[in-house]
């Protein structure tokens, strides 16, 4: 499942176990609860790092659970349930009053990649792990908020085409070149986490106001905020 550990100013959210870290409704509810916990305990200088154990950061929604519904309609309803219940997770990360960093220990696919892109920074391994939006290959339409997030976070139409319309599995160096991740310079999961901890400690040292940070973040993505139903608060400029 998932755990949340506090290390000084850093919150470390970990998708635990050696499986694919599929997002079953129970897993989604746990992630949302842990994000709420981090938000309630946040202070100036707080930072969130999200990572996983094993070969996968996350392989997306629990499609096997959906398919056990016993009918096509039941499977579609279960998939819709996961899509709708995951939307508040993306909204919570957009609204979280602290910088956020995704440390990709391995493969990030479909909703797993959407979770990663919901962070401010994304670090990836160069030796293992791919980014893969599988929807075009498996015949699933793209949820509106998935597409809005990709438009918000990935700057060029060519990069968005490579990610969403090619069915391509994108490795670290190419992902950096396409502007999908910030860096892919690490040879192990431990190396990725250590690098994100260093960045997290640097950001924590700024002691920024979390509310102001979240407000500025949301102001960058007005379309995404509208689709997610996230309202940006406006703060008065402090007197110097």
């Amino acid at each position: 499942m998932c755990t949340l550990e506090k290390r000084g100013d850093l919150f470390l959210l970990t998708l635990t176990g050696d499986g694919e870290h599929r997002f079953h409704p129970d897993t989604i509810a746990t992630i949302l609860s842990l994000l709420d916990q981090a938000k309630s305990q946040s202070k100036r200088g707080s930072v969130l790092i999200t990572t996983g154990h094993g070969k996968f950061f996350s392989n997306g929604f629990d499609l096997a659970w959906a398919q056990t519904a016993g009918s096509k309609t039941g499977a579609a309803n279960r998939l819709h349930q996961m899509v709708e219940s995951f939307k508040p997770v993306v909204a919570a990360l957009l609204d979280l009053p602290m910088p956020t960093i995704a440390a990709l220990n391995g493969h990030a696919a479909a909703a797993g990649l959407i979770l990663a892109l919901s962070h401010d920074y994304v670090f990836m391994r160069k030796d293992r792990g791919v980014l893969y939006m599988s929807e075009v290959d498996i015949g699933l339409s793209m949820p509106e908020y998935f597409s809005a997030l990709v438009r918000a976070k990935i700057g060029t139409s060519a990069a968005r085409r490579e990610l969403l319309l090619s069915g391509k599995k994108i490795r670290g160096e190419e992902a950096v070149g396409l502007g999908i991740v910030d860096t892919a310079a690490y040879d192990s999961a431990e190396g990725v986490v250590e690098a994100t901890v260093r960045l997290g400690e640097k950001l924590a040292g700024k002691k920024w106001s979390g509310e102001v940070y979240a407000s500025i973040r949301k102001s960058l993505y007005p379309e995404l905020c509208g689709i997610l139903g996230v309202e940006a608060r406006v703060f008065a400029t402090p007197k110097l």
Side-chain angles (χ1 to χ4, degrees), residues 188-202:
S188 67
E190 294 78 13
V192 174
V193 173
E194 288 169 4
T196 57
V197 167
R198 288 194 296 272
L199 174 59
E201 290 174 342
K202 180 180 178 181

Side-chain angles (χ1 to χ4, degrees), residues 100-117:
T100 59
I101 313 168
L104 303 190
N105 54 294
H107 307 306
L113 179 51
I114 293 299
L115 178 66
L117 291 176

